Amino acid sequence: MHTPFDFKEGADRTVYVKAVAVADLPKEVQDSAGERELLYAVHDAGGEQLALVADRRMAFVLARQNDMTPVPVH
């Protein structure tokens, strides 16, 4: 979770934002999630998780700040 990721790397600039149930995450992440029931994951086109953030808006802002195009996953 604390591994830095170089968002400028790679040619595909589309990322996918999806809600993740805190209960489905590793115990250490659950412990740091506080009272939240959901977190939001940012994934690349290959499905690799690039980031995990507290709210949906933050996920979209993070993607745009790194010159990526966020797409919601339902």
Side-chain angles (χ1 to χ4, degrees):
M1 177 163 163
H2 297 287
T3 304
F5 180 80
D6 183 1
F7 281 94
K8 302 290 183 191
E9 228 176 73
D12 189 358
R13 307 306 296 165
T14 302
V15 293
Y16 301 89
V17 176
K18 72 174 191 171
V20 178
V22 171
D24 294 339
L25 296 169
K27 178 79 169 120
E28 66 184 37
V29 178
Q30 290 179 27
D31 293 344
S32 66
E35 298 296 317
R36 291 181 179 88
E37 293 182 18
L38 290 176
L39 294 176
Y40 289 83
V42 179
H43 292 264
D44 67 11
E48 181 179 353
Q49 181 177 304
L50 306 176
L52 189 61
V53 296
D55 63 56
R56 186 176 187 273
R57 181 183 167 279
M58 187 183 304
F60 278 79
V61 168
L62 174 70
R64 290 184 183 118
Q65 285 179 338
N66 288 282
D67 300 321
M68 298 181 145
T69 304
V71 177
V73 175
H74 301 285

